[in-house]
Amino acid sequence: MMTINETTLSFLLEDCIKEFGTEKGEKFFQRTEQIYQNLLDSADYKNSEVIREHLQRKLFPPMAYYKTLIAEGYDKSTALDYVEKETRKAALAKKEKMQGLARMPFAYTIYRMGVKKHMKKNFPDEGWETEWVRCDGREIHFDLRRCIYWELSKLYKCPELCCVYCENDDIAFSGLLPKIKFERTGTLGTGSSCCDFHFIKA
């Protein structure tokens, strides 16, 4: 069974100790690990290895940490701040990868040629509903009408956590500058009818 040390929050124990001290930090981490394992055991992976990967590595670790902080008496706003601090580190690592693409000649063209295949493979119909609006030489625009991160945030009674997942996109895709500009006007997690993704050739 996967542990948090194998996920995008592999640094969580170290950060908990820095943030809360050794005794409290280790306690928080152990409780987070326990909640994480419970989430893994109860999850519906929809017979999809891609969904399993999302839940195990990206979705459940922050959720488990958030639920730990709430259980330990922190209010939602403070707990979200702590979780956001951790997920931002993971998003910055993804941003670095995006910067590698941005340094390539014809970065936008390369991105446009692969984006539909990438979305179909990594965001399948079992967890997302993708509506393509535009994919041409100037802009890539698609709307997510359904997203498993939003659905599971609601299912596990922490819809406010979804905004943290959404923020990761803003951080990661900023790495595409200056070749590609990422814009979004709203997300499902903030009450919009969809998450609109715009990648504009800069």
Side-chain angles (χ1 to χ4, degrees):
M1 184 68 72
M2 184 172 288
T3 66
I4 286 182
N5 289 334
E6 300 171 272
T7 73
T8 55
L9 297 190
S10 59
F11 40 76
L12 184 60
L13 174 58
E14 180 182 351
D15 286 356
C16 280
I17 291 172
K18 286 181 181 178
E19 196 72 54
F20 306 108
T22 301
E23 184 177 350
K24 195 173 181 181
E26 289 180 349
K27 175 189 172 185
F28 282 15
F29 178 79
Q30 289 168 3
R31 187 164 189 171
T32 299
E33 184 70 68
Q34 183 178 21
I35 293 174
Y36 173 68
Q37 294 301 327
N38 290 339
L39 290 170
L40 293 182
D41 290 342
S42 66
D44 176 10
Y45 299 111
K46 302 181 184 297
N47 296 315
S48 168
E49 285 304 312
V50 175
I51 297 291
R52 181 183 294 273
E53 180 79 1
H54 274 277
L55 271 53
Q56 289 183 338
R57 292 184 55 80
K58 301 175 184 178
L59 199 159
F60 282 156
M63 183 180 287
Y65 186 39
Y66 180 67
K67 286 183 173 292
T68 292
L69 293 167
I70 294 296
E72 291 290 340
Y74 291 87
D75 61 72
K76 290 181 179 180
S77 178
T78 303
L80 283 173
D81 286 343
Y82 280 126
V83 175
E84 186 179 42
K85 190 174 180 180
E86 298 305 311
T87 58
R88 188 178 292 122
K89 289 177 68 173
L92 287 171
K94 187 176 179 182
K95 178 182 177 179
E96 289 185 12
K97 293 183 179 180
M98 293 291 180
Q99 288 172 331
L101 172 62
R103 287 190 290 267
M104 297 177 66
F106 310 109
Y108 177 83
T109 301
I110 294 170
Y111 197 78
R112 179 172 65 88
M113 290 176 63
V115 67
K116 287 191 175 183
K117 183 178 180 181
H118 173 81
M119 289 299 298
K120 185 175 182 180
K121 177 183 178 182
N122 295 288
F123 299 88
D125 294 343
E126 291 89 346
W128 292 266
E129 180 183 338
T130 306
E131 178 183 315
W132 288 94
V133 180
R134 181 177 179 183
C135 189
D136 56 33
R138 294 301 306 167
E139 181 182 352
I140 300 161
H141 172 197
F142 59 87
D143 296 335
L144 292 183
R145 298 289 175 181
R146 185 169 59 86
C147 172
I148 199 167
Y149 284 80
W150 174 230
E151 291 174 354
L152 291 185
S153 295
K154 292 187 294 180
L155 179 66
Y156 288 100
K157 303 187 187 305
C158 50
E160 65 278 3
L161 183 63
C162 194
C163 64
V164 174
Y165 300 121
C166 297
E167 185 195 42
N168 292 345
D169 291 335
D170 298 327
I171 295 171
F173 290 132
S174 69
L176 293 170
L177 288 169
K179 301 287 184 65
I180 304 169
K181 183 180 180 181
F182 173 66
E183 292 182 351
R184 187 163 54 188
T185 62
T187 67
L188 293 166
T190 56
S192 296
S193 60
C194 68
C195 304
D196 63 322
F197 287 72
H198 301 261
F199 298 89
I200 301 166
K201 185 177 182 180

